[in-house]
Amino acid sequence: SFSIDEDSGVADIIFSLSDNVSTDFQFTYSTINNTADNASDFELINRTLTFPAMTSTVSDNISINQDTIVEDNETFFVRLDNSSNPKVFLGPQATVTINNDDDALVTVDNLSVAENAGVATITFKLSDNVSSPVTVGFSTLDQSADNGSGYDYLALSKSITFDPMTTSVQDNITINNDNIVENSETFLVQIDNASNPNVSLGSQAVVTIEDEDNATVTIGDVFVNESDGFALITFNLSDNVSSDLSISYSTLNDTADNASDFELISKTILFPAGTTSFQDNVTIYDDNIVEDNETFFVRLDNSSNPNVFLGYQAIVTINNDDNATVTVGSFSIDEDSGVADIIFSLSDNVSTDF
């Protein structure tokens, strides 16, 4: 019995005689399956050979088939069947061991998945077929994505099994769909071990969760008395944002004028991460002019986050709370003056004719 590497191509079989024989004789031998199979692993033979007179060894070749299947070492038998010389007896069959020289690699591909997909389907691949089941462990590891409280994905540590002669297995990892506007986030899938020593492990894979959420910044219309001194502007976010958000806004004339009625503003405000409301003041100038109610605009100009959109401009109405009194003073005049000049007085200016 002997062993041979699968990639050798042939097995050299040596048949030996215990003593010399004075005449030629023939014998037959055959190959028989054991764990190796003549359909795929070795040559099926039923052959007759001749021992020339006075020789003690004869050799022959059996073809060995090289495949790319990762498998255990396998064996077949070489059996002596018949001898033409009745005085030459046949020994026991020999065992030939074919040493497997193949290996395979388990890999897992990088993957991008939409947050609202619900699951990330992970594909594990074997580079070559394996003749027996292969169990592979894997686990998930946080990167910017988090499996903790308010999780982004559900952590896993488990095993998968490749059935014999299969090269692909899939498993799902739960993805949590939240309403938070955030950057794309990642976690890792790491291959931990393989049950077959001829199967090695590839690199970890990166799973990217692509956020599909967005939010809108809005501001409501405001009504303010001129004497209040300021207009309180409230900026609202429709959903949480995971990082600080900068919004710029400006004030614009309508019937009110920034030169005399309100503060001209072009500035940036900051929503800290996780907040949905922010307030800012615009100064209102209180004059003593009796006038109609006046309006100006508060316009949203820019957002630092491309997934945060800007709502419509708001209207701020300044309610005039000034009034004036018309008076006429008493006076005397000589009868021969012919006319009396009456003077009417206003206590404050009025912006329009009346």
Side-chain angles (χ1 to χ4, degrees):
S1 297
F2 65 98
S3 62
I4 186 171
D5 291 336
E6 185 182 68
D7 62 359
S8 297
V10 294
D12 294 322
I13 309 295
I14 297 176
F15 301 89
S16 300
L17 264 176
S18 59
D19 289 293
N20 288 325
V21 177
S22 63
T23 58
D24 296 349
F25 74 93
Q26 294 179 324
F27 69 97
T28 60
Y29 80 95
S30 57
T31 54
I32 301 172
N33 291 353
N34 189 22
T35 55
D37 187 344
N38 66 71
S40 58
D41 298 309
F42 66 94
E43 180 184 7
L44 180 62
I45 287 177
N46 188 348
R47 183 178 295 164
T48 299
L49 299 180
T50 299
F51 263 96
M54 307 303 290
T55 60
S56 58
T57 61
V58 170
S59 64
D60 200 18
N61 292 329
I62 300 172
S63 295
I64 304 298
N65 299 324
Q66 184 179 12
D67 56 37
T68 58
I69 299 172
V70 179
E71 53 201 343
D72 295 331
N73 294 342
E74 298 174 310
T75 60
F76 65 94
F77 300 124
V78 177
R79 186 181 65 193
L80 297 167
D81 293 323
N82 290 290
S83 168
S84 62
N85 188 325
K87 293 185 177 182
V88 176
F89 306 121
L90 303 177
Q93 65 188 10
T95 301
V96 180
T97 301
I98 304 173
N99 297 321
N100 173 69
D101 55 3
D102 297 302
D103 53 33
L105 177 70
V106 180
T107 58
V108 56
D109 293 335
N110 294 336
L111 175 68
S112 292
V113 60
E115 185 183 73
N116 62 3
V119 296
T121 300
I122 309 300
T123 301
F124 300 86
K125 297 178 181 177
L126 266 174
S127 60
D128 286 293
N129 286 318
V130 180
S131 64
S132 57
V134 178
T135 299
V136 175
F138 78 92
S139 57
T140 55
L141 300 172
D142 286 355
Q143 263 195 328
S144 54
D146 185 1
N147 73 79
S149 177
Y151 69 95
D152 298 304
Y153 72 98
L154 188 62
L156 278 183
S157 181
K158 63 181 294 188
S159 295
I160 58 170
T161 298
F162 289 87
D163 290 332
M165 309 303 286
T166 62
T167 58
S168 181
V169 173
Q170 292 183 321
D171 203 4
N172 290 329
I173 297 173
T174 300
I175 304 297
N176 181 38
N177 186 23
D178 57 35
N179 294 318
I180 300 172
V181 180
E182 53 200 343
N183 295 325
S184 294
E185 297 175 309
T186 60
F187 65 93
L188 303 177
V189 176
Q190 179 174 284
I191 308 170
D192 297 321
N193 52 72
S195 61
N196 189 317
N198 293 317
V199 175
S200 54
L201 306 177
S203 301
Q204 61 192 8
V206 178
V207 179
T208 301
I209 305 172
E210 297 178 342
D211 183 58
E212 86 297 341
D213 298 302
N214 54 64
T216 301
V217 180
T218 58
I219 43 179
D221 294 339
V222 177
F223 296 84
V224 61
N225 292 321
E226 185 181 74
S227 60
D228 288 344
F230 65 89
L232 182 62
I233 311 299
T234 301
F235 302 82
N236 293 308
L237 259 177
S238 60
D239 286 294
N240 284 322
V241 178
S242 65
S243 56
D244 292 349
L245 171 69
S246 296
I247 298 292
S248 61
Y249 79 95
S250 55
T251 55
L252 303 171
N253 289 356
D254 188 25
T255 55
D257 188 342
N258 66 71
S260 57
D261 297 310
F262 68 92
E263 179 185 8
L264 180 63
I265 285 179
S266 180
K267 66 183 292 187
T268 298
I269 60 172
L270 180 70
F271 282 87
T275 61
T276 58
S277 183
F278 187 89
Q279 292 183 318
D280 203 19
N281 291 327
V282 177
T283 301
I284 303 299
Y285 302 132
D286 187 15
D287 57 33
N288 294 316
I289 300 172
V290 179
E291 54 199 343
D292 294 331
N293 293 342
E294 297 175 309
T295 58
F296 66 92
F297 300 119
V298 178
R299 183 182 68 192
L300 297 165
D301 293 322
N302 288 292
S303 164
S304 63
N305 189 318
N307 293 318
V308 176
F309 307 126
L310 304 177
Y312 296 109
Q313 64 188 10
I315 299 173
V316 179
T317 301
I318 304 172
N319 296 316
N320 174 66
D321 54 4
D322 297 305
N323 53 62
T325 303
V326 180
T327 58
V328 57
S330 300
F331 67 97
S332 62
I333 188 173
D334 293 336
E335 183 181 57
D336 61 0
S337 297
V339 293
D341 294 322
I342 309 297
I343 299 174
F344 302 89
S345 299
L346 263 176
S347 60
D348 287 292
N349 288 324
V350 178
S351 64
T352 58
D353 294 346
F354 72 94

